[in-house]
Amino acid sequence: MSVQLKPLYDKDQTCLFCEKIYQTKRLRSKFVRVKQVHSDFYTEYKDPDLNPLFYEVSVCPHCGFASSDTFSSNFPSGTTNVIAEQFKDWKMQDFGNERKVEDAIRALKLGILSAMLKREKHVVIGGLCLRLAWLFRLISSEEQEIRFLKKAQEHYAKSYEEVDYKDTQMTDMRLLYLIGELHRRIGNQSEAIQFFSRVIQHKHKATEPKIVEMAREQWYLIREKNDEEATI
């Protein structure tokens, strides 16, 4: 008699900070069914409860330090003391069970806090802020969504300036596009056009035609909106 495979499975995780081992949940990819992908790469799923984003950040129940697979194992000088001070009053909490959106929001907030205390790359912090904005979009909390879209845009802009996205999965063109799209979503239309134009005119645009097409589509959206407003 075959055992029915469940969507969630337990994964052993070693805390980057305290180095204790704990279990956290992960979602099997075969159960993930995509419904729609938004222009900032937010993904809607056919089953809202089977959302891999809920389990992207692991939270150590022993010390409270939270991390994702994008974190480096290196702790810059002085950061361990700062982290220890921040989490000194941590009461043991288990995030290793099935999560609802509220649990995922708490985990991501801990992930952002941990990343900032650890002085992670801006591209990593920006990614966490963007994912938190997506969770707020999921529950229609527009004010909080905009708040974290702004934070994501700021960190991505710093990442581009400092080129700290090198040796990650983020590409030059994808980062430029994301900065532009986040500007568009928070209402900075002129800045958005500047970044979309940089994607469209990029010297390596032939390598990522899908990103170029997305930038062109968003650029046209802004121009159409501006033309409509001008005729009112």
Side-chain angles (χ1 to χ4, degrees):
M1 185 173 156
S2 61
V3 178
Q4 188 175 9
L5 206 62
K6 294 182 178 180
L8 297 174
Y9 66 94
D10 290 317
K11 180 186 177 185
D12 284 340
Q13 193 84 9
T14 301
C15 178
L16 292 175
F17 183 65
C18 74
E19 299 183 346
K20 289 182 180 178
I21 297 173
Y22 62 95
Q23 280 195 335
T24 189
K25 288 279 191 290
R26 286 288 187 271
L27 182 60
R28 299 183 199 277
S29 58
K30 67 176 293 181
F31 288 92
V32 176
R33 300 285 186 269
V34 175
K35 178 182 177 182
Q36 181 186 359
V37 180
H38 293 208
S39 55
D40 62 351
F41 304 114
Y42 164 65
T43 304
E44 287 185 54
Y45 297 97
K46 292 181 179 177
D47 186 338
D49 292 325
L50 297 179
N51 187 334
L53 184 56
F54 288 4
Y55 304 95
E56 196 159 321
V57 170
S58 303
V59 182
C60 178
H62 307 288
C63 71
F65 187 82
S67 65
S68 73
D69 292 341
T70 57
F71 278 43
S72 70
S73 57
N74 176 57
F75 284 79
S77 177
T79 56
T80 54
N81 290 336
V82 173
I83 293 167
E85 177 65 23
Q86 177 67 43
F87 289 103
K88 66 180 181 181
D89 296 323
W90 174 262
K91 301 290 190 295
M92 187 161 178
Q93 297 177 53
D94 188 5
F95 282 77
N97 299 310
E98 181 178 349
R99 293 179 185 174
K100 299 299 183 186
V101 65
E102 294 80 13
D103 305 312
I105 286 172
R106 287 176 60 220
L108 259 166
K109 284 183 174 179
L110 284 168
I112 292 168
L113 173 62
S114 299
M116 294 183 73
L117 295 173
K118 184 180 177 292
R119 300 209 298 268
E120 268 294 345
K121 291 180 175 180
H122 286 293
V123 70
V124 171
I125 302 173
L128 293 172
C129 290
L130 180 56
R131 282 155 177 77
L132 184 52
W134 292 343
L135 289 181
F136 282 120
R137 187 179 307 168
L138 181 61
I139 60 173
S140 302
S141 180
E142 187 177 357
E143 184 180 341
Q144 290 299 313
E145 178 193 343
I146 295 297
R147 176 189 171 198
F148 284 97
L149 287 177
K150 285 180 179 178
K151 289 182 181 294
Q153 182 272 312
E154 290 165 4
H155 281 288
Y156 278 147
K158 289 177 182 175
S159 175
Y160 189 77
E161 290 168 12
E162 298 175 14
V163 202
D164 77 0
Y165 59 95
K166 293 297 183 185
D167 302 320
T168 72
Q169 292 185 330
M170 181 69 76
T171 65
D172 188 66
M173 287 177 61
R174 189 182 179 94
L175 186 55
L176 284 171
Y177 168 80
L178 261 175
I179 295 170
E181 176 59 9
L182 295 177
H183 270 304
R184 187 187 74 82
R185 284 178 174 269
I186 61 181
N188 302 334
Q189 306 299 334
S190 60
E191 289 89 345
I193 285 177
Q194 290 174 27
F195 279 96
F196 290 145
S197 297
R198 290 171 72 176
V199 175
I200 295 165
Q201 297 164 9
H202 201 284
K203 62 180 179 181
H204 298 307
K205 62 183 179 182
T207 63
E208 295 186 73
K210 176 63 176 174
I211 295 293
V212 175
E213 184 58 32
M214 290 174 73
R216 191 173 281 117
E217 287 173 3
Q218 301 311 93
W219 186 87
Y220 280 129
L221 272 180
I222 296 172
R223 294 304 294 265
E224 285 175 7
K225 183 181 177 183
N226 289 344
D227 289 344
E228 287 173 7
E229 290 176 350
T231 58
I232 295 174

